[in-house]
Amino acid sequence: MSSGFRLIFAASLVLMLFGTCNGSKVGICYGRNADDLPTPDKAVDLIKNQNINYVRIYDSNIQVLKAFANTGIELMIGIPNSDLLPFSQFQSNADTWLKNSILPYYPATKITYITVGAEVTEARDNSSLMVVPAMINVYNALKKAGLHRRIKVSTTHSLGVLSRSYPPSAGSFNSKHAGFLKPLLDFLAENQSPFLVNVYPYYAYRDSSNNVSLDYALFESSSEVIDPNTGLLYMNMFDAQIDSIYFALAGLNYKTIKVKVTETGWPSKGSPKETAATPENAQTYNTNLIRHVINNTGTPAKPGEELDVYIFSLFNENRKPGLDSERNWGLYYPDQTSVYNVDFTGKGTVDVNNGGNLTTVNGTSWCIASSNASEEDLRNGLDWACGSGNVDCSPIQPSQPCFQPDSLVSHASYAFNSYYQQNGATDIACSFGGAGVKTNKNPSYDNCLYMTAGSNKTAANNVTTGANATSSGRREFSLPNPYYFLLMIVLTWIQFL
């Protein structure tokens, strides 16, 4: 085999390898049932800063669709239950909605899914009877526009759609929903659309803490639960709940339908009896969930199967009714400060004892003055940090360790970083009107030691690997590329062709 052909063949194999192994994805739910939320543009900036590329919204709000234009973020949009009747009655209603609410913004806004209704089996009315007719009309509208293969149509479900979920192999749909489910599953199978489900191990623990351990719900269990029918071993509640859906689908002979998780998460605050609703537990659940998903672990019944999830939610939503927990699922407060940190790459360091955003991709992060900032912006930022920001700026005074070099950029960098670390190391704490930038390179020099989160002056000594925590509560995750070794085998084999 000639060297030229070997090179072409190797390149083809590599492209095929990476073209077919996309891996599981993690997104965020962007609900807006709250007061004083940031504008959609600012919310999108927040999402982009967290490297989140998949977002679910619950309607087709024009301002939100415009905000996501040209970002590359894939959007799942929703048709609320209140609109099911007109969508189910007349094809023209779906056509008009698509023409006026979607087509003007597509493809600049990268819409990939439309959810028609949400958790309709939980509704007290007969809205479930309208879902499939509405889905068919939306699909037909997309087909007329030539978008039915690019934008998938489905609807979301709660686990209440099941009559039984334990053990997972006994998962089965509630027979009272048979009239709704049969045509729905036929539609999903025919159009290769996913079954969308909202999965909340928190509720399983809260409502049955005598039978479900907190560690099992948080992906922290050191012992497994055995499915007596299959012998499959479960280390967490999330996998068990997902497999109960797979088994329920298989039980009705719908084995080809994929499953996506359109909501999952953990509340950071709850009513007095909701003792597990804490920032620490919320951070632990979501961090472990992300690691579990992007590592393409799959579930015991579907090992290695891609499983996309959307974390609920971006913001706390104070207008939601019910227990206190209903209003405290967000990663952020409406003012964009962190409730707790979650690293969506799954590769960072997480301090579970601090409510701020302390995640970095390769260790600790610092905040320094931007080289592009104007002298006025640097001066204003320095004055504010050393004044209203309550930063101890004595180290940049004459004869002190950080006075030299005696420059505005150097002094501002020290003050910016001190404020950044003291305020949770969040993106907002390093803004300074655009004069601050984050860095993974330690700016300390000589005897001038820049503060890091969790330490008064010096960087914390980070010695853990895997999922083990140090006494300080810091966790470090390192995820292998699941295709790296396969690629190495291919390239090695090519050498001998």
Side-chain angles (χ1 to χ4, degrees), residues 240-270:
Q241 292 180 329
I242 295 300
D243 275 355
S244 69
I245 293 290
Y246 280 127
F247 279 108
L249 289 169
L252 296 180
N253 203 30
Y254 292 96
K255 298 180 181 180
T256 62
I257 296 177
K258 302 286 187 180
V259 173
K260 284 183 183 289
V261 178
T262 38
E263 286 182 12
T264 190
W266 198 281
S268 61
K269 183 181 178 182

Side-chain angles (χ1 to χ4, degrees), residues 30 32 40-41 44 57 59-69 75 109:
Y30 171 25
R32 306 191 312 281
D41 286 339
V44 170
I57 62 173
D59 54 20
S60 54
N61 179 275
I62 291 174
Q63 296 306 316
V64 175
L65 294 183
K66 287 181 178 180
F68 280 99
L75 208 58
T109 298

Side-chain angles (χ1 to χ4, degrees), residues 130-394:
M130 308 177 215
V131 172
V132 175
M135 289 173 63
I136 292 172
N137 286 342
V138 171
Y139 174 84
N140 288 337
L142 288 169
K143 191 172 184 178
K144 293 176 186 177
L147 297 176
H148 59 296
R149 290 188 176 90
R150 298 182 182 181
I151 301 176
K152 295 295 183 180
V153 178
S154 190
T155 187
T156 66
H157 308 271
S158 72
L159 273 185
V161 74
L162 300 179
S163 60
R164 187 175 180 184
S165 60
Y166 180 82
S169 60
S172 56
F173 291 110
N174 195 319
S175 60
K176 72 178 183 180
H177 303 311
F180 157 63
L181 285 169
K182 180 63 168 64
L184 170 68
L185 296 177
D186 284 343
F187 176 93
L188 299 181
E190 181 180 351
N191 296 295
Q192 298 181 320
S193 292
F195 187 92
L196 307 179
V197 62
N198 301 333
V199 173
Y200 287 104
Y202 168 75
Y203 290 128
Y205 171 75
R206 187 195 68 180
D207 298 338
S208 188
S209 57
N210 291 332
N211 299 315
V212 178
S213 74
L214 182 59
D215 284 347
Y216 187 64
L218 293 174
F219 295 88
E220 297 271 285
S221 179
S222 58
S223 60
E224 64 275 350
V225 175
I226 302 175
D227 187 315
N229 299 325
T230 62
L232 294 173
L233 305 180
Y234 289 87
M235 298 296 295
N236 61 79
M237 175 60 74
F238 178 84
D239 281 352
Q241 292 180 329
I242 295 300
D243 275 355
S244 69
I245 293 290
Y246 280 127
F247 279 108
L249 289 169
L252 296 180
N253 203 30
Y254 292 96
K255 298 180 181 180
T256 62
I257 296 177
K258 302 286 187 180
V259 173
K260 284 183 183 289
V261 178
T262 38
E263 286 182 12
T264 190
W266 198 281
S268 61
K269 183 181 178 182
S271 301
K273 293 184 178 181
E274 295 182 291
T275 57
T278 67
E280 294 78 14
N281 287 341
Q283 184 182 53
T284 297
Y285 176 82
N286 284 325
T287 298
N288 287 339
L289 169 76
I290 292 170
R291 178 179 182 239
H292 183 65
V293 169
I294 68 174
N295 209 21
N296 292 308
T297 307
T299 65
K302 296 278 189 176
E305 182 87 1
E306 289 182 13
L307 181 67
D308 299 341
V309 305
Y310 291 78
I311 291 177
F312 186 85
S313 61
L314 184 62
F315 296 111
N316 281 345
E317 297 176 79
N318 68 307
R319 292 204 298 244
K320 286 200 164 186
L323 298 175
D324 287 350
S325 60
E326 291 299 314
R327 295 175 286 281
N328 289 280
W329 289 86
L331 306 184
Y332 292 90
Y333 297 106
D335 65 2
Q336 302 181 68
T337 57
S338 299
V339 179
Y340 57 89
N341 169 69
V342 169
D343 171 27
F344 276 77
T345 70
K347 301 176 182 178
T349 300
V350 178
D351 188 336
V352 299
N353 290 330
N354 192 297
N357 181 355
L358 306 180
T359 296
T360 63
V361 173
N362 292 306
T364 305
S365 66
W366 293 264
C367 178
I368 60 175
S370 171
S371 59
N372 297 322
S374 68
E375 182 174 337
E376 181 181 2
D377 286 342
L378 290 177
R379 173 62 62 189
N380 289 338
L382 175 61
D383 291 343
W384 187 89
C386 295
S388 301
N390 294 317
V391 167
D392 177 12
C393 291
S394 59

Side-chain angles (χ1 to χ4, degrees), residues 415-482:
F416 287 6
N417 181 70
S418 296
Y419 179 83
Y420 171 69
Q421 306 296 353
Q422 290 172 192
N423 289 275
T426 64
D427 292 332
I428 293 174
C430 188
S431 62
F432 293 97
V437 294
K438 293 200 300 182
T439 179
N440 290 327
K441 184 178 180 180
N442 191 342
S444 300
Y445 59 93
D446 298 330
N447 292 324
C448 180
L449 303 181
Y450 275 57
M451 182 186 296
T452 58
S455 171
N456 290 330
K457 294 291 180 184
T458 58
N461 190 16
N462 203 358
V463 296
T464 51
T465 58
N468 294 320
T470 65
S471 59
S472 67
R474 185 177 296 273
R475 298 173 184 273
E476 182 174 298
F477 301 113
S478 179
L479 297 180
N481 187 323

